[in-house]
Amino acid sequence: GCKSASTSSKSISPPINIQGDFKWKYVDTEFCRVYYYQDDDAVSSKTKEIDGIYKGICDKFKHSSKGDPRENNKIVITFLDDETYKNYTGDATAGAQWRDSGGLINLNKINSNNVNGTIRHELIHAVTLRSEDSKMKNYPSWFAEGIAQYYQQDIEKGSFQQSLIKDAVAKKGIEPWSTMISESGKWDNRALKYTEAACIYDFLIKKYGEDKIVNIFYTDGNFNEVIQGITNKSIYELEKEWNEYISSMYT
């Protein structure tokens, strides 16, 4: 069950350096520690669902996150208000972000209908990027975001907004993979790029096998070389193949 901590702001704070006089509280679930200071229904109601979301991810990918050793080895999720989130992350667009200190979730940016999807997205990052077995260090952001975006709504049935891809194909507005290598927090045209990232992931697992593609996160080596070993294609050849695929699918 969930245990709520005391509300002393002196003794409790998340493992991030956030400025402000907040009366931090946290709720422990079996796997997660959720920090918050707002009396928001999303916190109390959704913490009950976090472990189920997390278990679904672990079952799917056959790995688990190592959690934070400073926080009783639990995965940390911190709920913030809009202004604090923007000041801390420097990001006025996103509703959530994954860092080594855990998941940061902007409660003002999400509603009760998509809290689960947002939490699932961040916990997928925890399991792929912060597993005991995560070894891939130089992955492009499109690869990390693609898997999280693809399974955000449903861990069993991945999806992405096909209408966005169709529209981009029609307008010749598909983003090159090279514009999605750097940190996703710095992306422009974010809705399209996140959707593209999920579409690339969908293409890769359908063409080369889900187990092989997911296992890249747990493989030591250079990303471009590892994926070439699986697909027998360079990253440039893969991008060309993907472009041809989406042109035939969405024209």
Side-chain angles (χ1 to χ4, degrees), residues 12-249:
I12 294 174
S13 63
I16 47 179
N17 185 23
I18 287 196
Q19 303 303 312
D21 184 23
F22 302 116
K23 290 186 168 58
W24 286 104
K25 299 169 270 193
Y26 68 75
V27 174
D28 272 353
T29 73
E30 186 178 351
F31 303 106
C32 299
R33 176 164 288 176
V34 183
Y35 280 95
Y36 65 104
Y37 49 83
Q38 297 149 288
D39 285 324
D40 196 294
D41 291 341
V43 177
S44 55
S45 65
K46 293 301 175 184
T47 45
K48 298 184 180 84
E49 300 176 48
I50 283 180
D51 286 338
I53 293 170
Y54 176 69
K55 282 178 184 170
I57 295 165
C58 296
D59 289 347
K60 177 79 173 175
F61 301 141
K62 311 288 190 290
H63 287 86
S64 57
S65 178
K66 61 186 174 186
D68 190 327
R70 301 166 296 180
E71 302 286 329
N72 207 21
N73 293 315
K74 291 185 184 288
I75 304 161
V76 177
I77 293 174
T78 305
F79 285 102
L80 302 167
D81 65 271
D82 192 50
E83 187 181 0
T84 307
Y85 181 92
K86 284 192 286 199
N87 287 342
Y88 182 68
T89 64
D91 189 341
T93 308
Q97 191 177 95
W98 177 261
R99 296 189 169 199
D100 272 350
S101 54
L104 302 168
I105 294 179
N106 182 341
L107 269 180
N108 295 73
K109 275 276 196 290
I110 58 179
N111 58 51
S112 57
N113 294 326
N114 65 7
V115 176
N116 279 15
T118 302
I119 289 170
R120 186 176 292 107
H121 184 111
E122 301 313 317
L123 288 177
I124 288 170
H125 286 321
V127 171
T128 53
L129 308 179
R130 289 276 296 167
S131 162
E132 294 285 2
D133 308 307
S134 298
K135 295 187 179 72
M136 180 59 57
K137 293 190 173 62
N138 65 334
Y139 52 83
S141 276
W142 62 257
F143 187 63
E145 293 298 349
I147 189 170
Q149 189 69 16
Y150 187 71
Y151 293 115
Q152 179 165 318
Q153 297 309 323
D154 187 332
I155 192 64
E156 288 307 320
K157 298 175 188 164
S159 63
F160 58 93
Q161 208 174 330
Q162 297 190 26
S163 58
L164 255 184
I165 300 296
K166 187 173 184 179
D167 190 49
V169 168
K171 293 176 178 171
K172 295 187 167 40
I174 288 290
E175 293 276 357
W177 291 10
S178 59
T179 68
M180 299 184 285
I181 291 171
S182 62
E183 187 188 326
S184 55
K186 297 184 170 68
W187 288 356
D188 57 0
N189 202 5
R190 233 178 265 189
L192 177 59
K193 285 181 175 173
Y194 270 84
T195 304
E196 272 196 36
C199 181
I200 296 166
Y201 177 79
D202 175 68
F203 162 75
L204 290 173
I205 64 172
K206 284 177 176 164
K207 175 104 193 201
Y208 298 104
E210 189 172 30
D211 288 348
K212 287 181 181 176
I213 298 303
V214 171
N215 202 49
I216 291 173
F217 287 103
Y218 312 108
T219 305
D220 217 349
N222 176 283
F223 174 82
N224 287 5
E225 289 172 7
V226 171
I227 201 166
Q228 183 162 358
I230 291 167
T231 64
N232 290 320
K233 290 186 172 69
S234 72
I235 205 75
Y236 306 105
E237 290 170 324
L238 276 178
E239 182 172 11
K240 185 170 181 286
E241 187 179 44
W242 175 73
N243 273 295
E244 288 165 357
Y245 170 78
I246 57 173
S247 290
S248 66
M249 285 287 289

Side-chain angles (χ1 to χ4, degrees), residues 1-13:
C2 301
K3 294 175 189 163
S4 185
S6 71
T7 57
S8 164
S9 58
K10 287 189 178 67
S11 59
I12 294 174
S13 63

